[in-house]
Amino acid sequence: MDKFIKWLEEYYAPVATRIGDQRHLKAIRDGVVSLIPLLLMGSFFLIIAFPPVAGLAKMVEPYVGSLLSVNNATMGLMGLMASFSIAYSLAGSYKMDPLGNALISVATFMLATPFTKDGNIASAWMGSKGLFVAMLIAIFVVEVQRYMIKKNLVIRMPEGVPPAVARSFMSLIPGFISISVVWFINSMLSMSATNLQDVIYKILAAPLLSLGGSLPAFLLAIFFAQLLWSVGIHGAALVGGVMSPVYLTLAQQNAAAKAAGLPIPNIICQQLWDVYGNIGGSGATFALAIMLLTIARSKQLKALGKSAIGPAFFAINEPILFGMPIVMNPVLMIPFIFAPLISITIAYFAMDAGLVDKLFVMAPWTTPPIINAFLDTGDIKAAVLQIFCFFITGAVYYPFFKMWDAAKTKEEFGAAQDAKAKSNLTIGV
């Protein structure tokens, strides 16, 4: 086991960190993460529009259309807003003009988007369906400008011109080229009765969503995230940085289907990880926190349980990860990795069998257990399922917890005996 941890430290962690720090992936992650407040607000109005209580649902029924307009203006514009935020983030990482690049990216995204026959915006491409086009266009726009600045193919204004004006002229030629290229490609595609959004969706987005939305791929992503946490790297942030566009797209598809009164299509989504894989934080450590508080014999572990139980209610478990510790601990790494995998697998098949409703609302990840399961589905059975998963994760942790508790208790007893012996020796002197 020690050799395995050493291998993780020397080879796995550095490679994973380099991938997580890759500039374009980081820009996508930061750009998409910046949209989360909007997604949460959209989810909030989705809960109001479709409350889980029949009496309330009847009361709000006349106002559903108005309430959903908020959802359409937040979650429903995920793609459009991502074209802005990702370009802004990437340009900022290059120390270029973030605002100018973001605006050109939005204009280019709109150019790639088909309009309806009567000249209206095709709203279907504004949301999650257009997210992957938004990502590609944002990167394209920024890279074109970076290349042209590097080759000095931009208009530079003389000194004394206000910086805002100088930046506008500097982005003029690169922006013109980016827009022209996308316009040309889209015009060529339109001759075949298609468009850039549709082509990229079929070639790139649909396969990615299909692959990323499968249970094996989802479990593999969580496995790597837990493995990273085990060596002290924020695995959820790194893996989520790569996979969050897929999971958020699937989540938005669920919200859109619910708003349209259609069956919810996806089991795999961001909330599946949050609700059933992170009960009490990464590694589903809520059951472990309760064991530390209630049945630990070690004074150190019991004290840790007292300090960790409060944050664990809000899915914050760093006190346990680094206090117990789980990080770099070959004994506790095993349940830490496998408890969320088992919990998510149980939840997946429960939803697949129709025993509980699928997730369509995105409550904040810090929402306490049971509440988040109920809010995200509107189904009380989902909360019951989460309680069941809580006991399952407790059963996974229990033998490893007992082993660690016994070792700590023995260590404390030995330390107490040594202290007593030293005390007797001092008195004898």
Side-chain angles (χ1 to χ4, degrees), residues 82 88 107 148 160 186 217 295 301 332 342 371:
Y88 191 96
M148 298 194 71
N186 216 26
I295 61 174
L301 295 186
L332 296 171
I342 294 171
I371 297 173

Side-chain angles (χ1 to χ4, degrees), residues 278 280-282 285 308-321 365-366:
N278 285 343
S282 290
T285 55
I309 192 67
F313 269 109
F314 302 98
I316 296 169
N317 63 350
E318 273 78 358
I320 293 178
L321 294 181
W365 63 271
T366 51

Side-chain angles (χ1 to χ4, degrees), residues 387-404:
I387 294 171
F388 178 72
C389 290
F390 161 80
F391 283 108
I392 292 295
T393 55
V396 174
Y397 273 106
Y398 184 73
F400 298 92
F401 159 77
K402 289 296 289 181
M403 195 187 310
W404 192 246

Side-chain angles (χ1 to χ4, degrees), residues 46-124:
L46 206 56
I47 295 174
I48 299 175
F50 300 102
V53 180
L56 290 176
K58 189 73 177 173
M59 283 175 60
V60 301
E61 193 173 349
Y63 313 104
V64 167
S66 177
L67 291 167
L68 289 181
S69 66
V70 179
N71 182 263
N72 294 336
T74 50
M75 295 184 83
L77 296 181
M78 183 195 295
L80 176 67
M81 294 181 182
S83 70
F84 183 95
S85 60
I86 294 171
Y88 191 96
S89 178
L90 183 58
S93 74
Y94 282 127
K95 309 295 181 190
M96 292 161 50
D97 176 22
L99 184 59
N101 278 277
L103 292 173
I104 293 171
S105 177
V106 169
T108 311
F109 174 82
M110 292 301 299
L111 194 59
T113 303
F115 282 66
T116 60
K117 289 181 180 177
D118 51 1
N120 292 320
I121 296 172
S123 60

Side-chain angles (χ1 to χ4, degrees), residues 234-320:
H234 198 309
L238 277 179
V239 174
V242 178
M243 298 303 296
S244 59
V246 173
Y247 300 150
L248 289 176
T249 297
L250 296 172
Q252 201 273 335
Q253 288 177 355
N254 285 358
K258 181 69 177 178
L262 301 172
I264 297 172
N266 307 309
I267 296 176
I268 301 294
C269 58
Q270 182 62 45
Q271 301 97 305
L272 181 62
W273 193 344
D274 294 340
V275 172
Y276 296 105
N278 285 343
I279 308 172
S282 290
T285 55
F286 195 56
L288 178 61
I290 291 180
M291 284 190 275
L292 289 171
L293 181 68
T294 56
I295 61 174
R297 294 174 58 199
S298 160
K299 293 178 182 175
Q300 177 189 337
L301 295 186
K302 190 171 278 294
L304 176 64
K306 289 177 182 175
S307 63
I309 192 67
F313 269 109
F314 302 98
I316 296 169
N317 63 350
E318 273 78 358
I320 293 178

Side-chain angles (χ1 to χ4, degrees), residues 200-248:
I200 291 178
Y201 186 81
K202 287 176 179 171
I203 293 176
L204 177 65
L208 275 177
L209 291 172
S210 177
L211 179 64
S214 67
L215 181 62
F218 194 62
L219 294 179
L220 192 62
I222 295 171
F223 176 82
F224 282 120
Q226 297 304 112
L227 206 56
L228 284 167
W229 260 125
S230 299
V231 291
I233 297 173
H234 198 309
L238 277 179
V239 174
V242 178
M243 298 303 296
S244 59
V246 173
Y247 300 150
L248 289 176

